[in-house]
Amino acid sequence: MIGILVKKQLMEVFRGYFYNQKKNKARSREATILMLLGFALLMVVLLGGMFAGLSVLLCSEFYELGLGWLYFLLMGMIALLLAVFGSVFNTYSGLYKARDNDLLLSMPISVRDIMIARLLNVYLMGLMYASVVIVPAVVVYWILGKFSITTVVGGIALVLFISLLALVLSCVLGWVVAMISSRLKHKSFVTVIISLVAFGAYYFVCFRLNSLINTLLANAILIGDTIHGKAIILHWIGRIGEGYLPSIIGFTAGAVALTLLCGWCMSRNFLKLATVTDKVAKREYKETTAKQKGLFAAVLGKEFSRFTSSALYMLNCGLGIVFMLAFIVVLIFKGNSMVEMVSGVFGPASTAFLFCMMVSIMGSTNFVAAPSVSLEGKNIWLLQSLPVDPKLVLMAKLSVQLLVTNIPVLALSIAGAFLVAMTVPELILFILFPQVFTLLISAMDLALGIRFANLVWTNEMAPIKQSAAVTIALFGGWGLSAAVAGLYFWKGHLLGFTPYVGICTVVSALLAAVLLWWILKFGSKRFMAL
C-alpha cells in the first residue's frame, strides 16, 4: 500500500509530464518519455554540470590546502539549501495541505501508511535536489582529491546525512508555512513578495558569484581556522566526506535519530495537521447602505480581483510593474551617471530617444490582457449570460492592463524627463509616445487573447504561461520595440528626435485604433461565441 501511495504522490508532483493541462487530456507515451528525458537532462546535465564545474574549481584548491572538510561543508550547505528550498513548498502542499487528505482518510487505509508515503515523497524530492549538488561534489573529490574505501563510505554517508536533514527541515518549515498560510488574508500578495525576494537573492548571488568564489579562495585558511575555533561541529560535519569514521558514524546516527523523532512527532499530530482548516474570522453583521456601482465599474472590479487573487498571474503577466518601479529608484540615485554613460556611447542626440524606448520596452513586458479571456475557462458562460454588453467586458479587461502599466510608465517618463535635457516638443513626445505605445501593446494583447482563447484547461498555468496568446504577446511587444529602435538607428536619427518619435506616435495611435475597432466590432462577437 505504501508503494502505491508513493507512486500516486510522485504522479501528482510530475503530473505535467503525464497530462496535458492545456488540452485537458493525457499525453502520449512518446511525449511523456521525451518530457521525462528533458527533465533528466535539465537536472543531470545542466544543473549537475554547473555544480560539477563549481566543485572542480574549489576541490583542487581546498584539497591542496588540507581543507577538504571545508570543501565538503560548503558544497553540503549549498545542497541542503537547494533541497530544503526545492521541497519545502512540496511539503506544504503534499503533506499538510494536500487536497486529497480527507479522501484518503475516509478509505480503509491506515493513517501510518498515508503519513509514511507523504514523508517518503518529501524525502525523495529533497534527495533529488540535494543529489544535483552533493553527488558531483563527492565524485570530483574522488577524482581530484582522494579515492579510498573510507572516502567512498564517507561520500555515501554525506548524501544520506544531507537528505535526512533536508527532510526534517522541510517538515518543520513546511509546518511553519502551513500555519502562517492559514492565518493570512492576502496570500497572493505575500506569495508575490516572497517570490520577488527570492528572485532578487538569486540574481544577487549570480552577479556576485565570481567575487564570492575569489574571496573564498583567497581567505580559505582564515575561514577554516575561524570555523575550527568557533564552530567545531561544522568541522566534524565536513569531515564526513573525507571518510573520518567517528564523524560518519556519529552524524549519520544523529540524522537517523532526528528523522525518527520527527516521524514520531508527526505520527502523534498527523490527523490534526492533515484535517486542520484555515481559520475564518467571525464578523458581526451590521446593516449598511450599499454603494451602487455602474456596470463598467463592477466588471472592472471583477477583473482586478481576478488579477490580484492569483500570484501566478501577477508574477508572470505583471512583473514589468516591479521593473519600472525599480528603475525609477535607479534613476533617482544613479540617473545622472546613466545619462552621462549613454550620452558618451550613443551621443547626446540619441539619449532622449533611448530613454524613451527603454520606458516603452518596460511597459511592453506587461501582458495582463493576453490570458484574461482564457482565464474565464468554463465559467465564461456567466459573463455571456449577464445583461452586459460584451464590448464593456472586453474594455474592462483592457483597462486593467492600461491602469497597471500606463501609470508606472508615466511615473518613469517623468523621472527620466528630469535627467535628459529636452525642448518642449521633445518633452511632450517623450511622455506621450510611451503612453500611446503601451495602448497599442495592450490592444494587441487583448486581440491575441480573443483570437487564441483556450477555455479547456485544468490549471491556470496553461493560459498564463503556455498559451499562444501569451507567447506572441511577449515576443510581439519586444519585436515592435526592436523595430522602432532599429529604424531609428538605421534612418530615423537623420530626421531627429521630434519628427521621428512624432511619426512613431501617430503610427502607433492609428494601429491601436484599428485594433480597438476590431475588438469592439468583431472581437466582441467572437467572445460571445466562445
Side-chain angles (χ1 to χ4, degrees), residues 235-257:
H235 169 76
W236 296 118
I237 291 175
R239 295 211 64 185
I240 297 175
E242 291 185 314
Y244 187 61
L245 289 178
S247 293
I248 294 174
I249 296 172
F251 285 104
T252 303
V256 172

Side-chain angles (χ1 to χ4, degrees), residues 18-36:
F18 300 93
Y19 191 82
N20 190 329
Q21 297 175 348
K22 182 178 179 181
K23 297 181 179 179
N24 198 20
K25 65 178 182 180
R27 298 186 188 277
S28 64
R29 179 177 298 181
E30 293 77 11
T32 299
I33 293 174
L34 287 175
M35 294 195 69
L36 291 174

Side-chain angles (χ1 to χ4, degrees), residues 342-343 345-356 420 488-489 493 497:
V342 174
S343 180
V345 175
F346 296 97
S350 299
T351 302
F353 174 78
L354 288 173
F355 269 82
C356 184
V420 182
Y488 175 82
F489 286 106
H493 67 280
F497 177 86

Side-chain angles (χ1 to χ4, degrees), residues 260-467:
L260 293 175
L261 177 62
C262 178
W264 179 78
C265 292
M266 288 198 61
S267 66
R268 296 175 61 86
N269 299 281
F270 181 75
L271 274 177
K272 181 180 178 180
L273 293 171
T275 57
V276 67
T277 56
D278 295 347
K279 291 186 176 181
V280 179
K282 294 182 179 180
R283 294 184 179 181
E284 182 180 352
Y285 173 75
K286 294 182 180 180
E287 185 176 354
T288 58
T289 302
K291 294 182 179 180
Q292 186 177 5
K293 291 183 178 180
L295 285 177
F296 183 77
V299 179
L300 182 63
K302 177 256 181 190
E303 293 297 327
F304 262 111
S305 298
R306 182 67 183 87
F307 177 65
T308 56
S309 64
S310 171
L312 185 67
Y313 195 5
M314 287 189 286
L315 281 172
N316 285 274
C317 301
L319 196 58
I321 303 171
V322 179
F323 293 152
M324 287 184 278
L325 295 177
F327 195 62
I328 291 174
V329 176
V330 172
L331 288 181
I332 293 173
F333 292 99
K334 298 289 185 179
N336 291 325
S337 58
M338 287 186 64
V339 170
E340 292 177 1
M341 181 184 68
V342 174
S343 180
V345 175
F346 296 97
S350 299
T351 302
F353 174 78
L354 288 173
F355 269 82
C356 184
M357 282 309 303
M358 192 177 300
V359 175
S360 302
I361 291 172
M362 288 188 176
S364 68
T365 57
N366 280 351
F367 42 92
V368 179
S372 61
V373 176
S374 297
L375 283 172
E376 298 295 340
K378 296 179 179 179
N379 293 325
I380 195 171
W381 65 271
L382 291 173
L383 285 176
Q384 294 171 337
S385 62
L386 290 175
V388 180
D389 192 336
K391 298 176 183 178
L392 184 143
V393 174
L394 295 177
M395 287 301 100
K397 294 181 180 294
L398 178 68
S399 298
V400 173
Q401 178 162 332
L402 291 176
L403 289 172
V404 301
T405 305
N406 282 57
I407 295 175
V409 164
L410 179 61
L412 190 54
S413 297
I414 294 173
F418 283 101
L419 300 172
V420 182
M422 291 178 287
T423 62
V424 174
E426 289 175 341
L427 178 61
I428 294 173
L429 289 172
F430 185 85
I431 295 176
L432 181 60
F433 173 71
Q435 296 293 314
V436 177
F437 189 77
T438 302
L439 174 62
L440 170 61
I441 295 297
S442 301
M444 180 189 72
D445 292 347
L446 181 58
L448 290 170
I450 299 170
R451 175 63 182 81
F452 297 101
N454 171 30
L455 305 178
V456 184
W457 48 267
T458 57
N459 189 304
E460 67 177 7
M461 184 180 294
I464 291 174
K465 299 187 68 173
Q466 301 170 357
S467 65

Side-chain angles (χ1 to χ4, degrees), residues 51-187:
F51 287 111
L54 179 62
S55 301
V56 171
L57 183 63
L58 297 177
C59 183
S60 57
E61 297 288 339
F62 279 83
Y63 183 75
E64 291 176 1
L65 295 173
L67 297 173
W69 64 270
L70 183 57
Y71 162 75
F72 281 115
L73 178 63
L74 291 172
M75 299 306 295
M77 291 175 65
I78 296 173
L80 182 62
L81 180 64
L82 184 63
V84 173
F85 182 78
S87 58
V88 65
F89 292 104
N90 178 60
T91 307
Y92 161 73
S93 60
L95 185 61
Y96 300 113
K97 294 290 184 178
R99 296 180 179 179
D100 60 348
N101 273 336
D102 293 339
L103 177 62
L104 290 178
L105 291 172
S106 67
M107 293 181 176
I109 304 174
S110 67
V111 176
R112 181 183 67 87
D113 289 348
I114 297 174
M115 187 196 72
I116 292 175
R118 302 277 198 214
L119 289 175
L120 282 175
N121 175 61
V122 174
Y123 174 75
L124 291 174
M125 295 301 297
L127 177 63
M128 179 184 70
Y129 286 112
S131 298
V132 172
V133 181
I134 199 62
V135 170
V138 169
V139 173
V140 167
Y141 183 81
W142 292 345
I143 297 172
L144 300 180
K146 181 180 179 181
F147 180 80
S148 64
I149 295 177
T150 54
T151 56
V152 171
V153 174
I156 297 172
L158 186 62
V159 174
L160 179 62
F161 171 75
I162 292 174
S163 60
L164 291 177
L165 188 59
L167 170 63
V168 175
L169 291 176
S170 296
C171 290
V172 174
L173 293 177
W175 176 80
V176 173
V177 171
M179 292 298 101
I180 294 175
S181 175
S182 63
R183 289 166 171 79
L184 289 177
K185 293 183 179 179
H186 305 288
K187 298 180 184 179

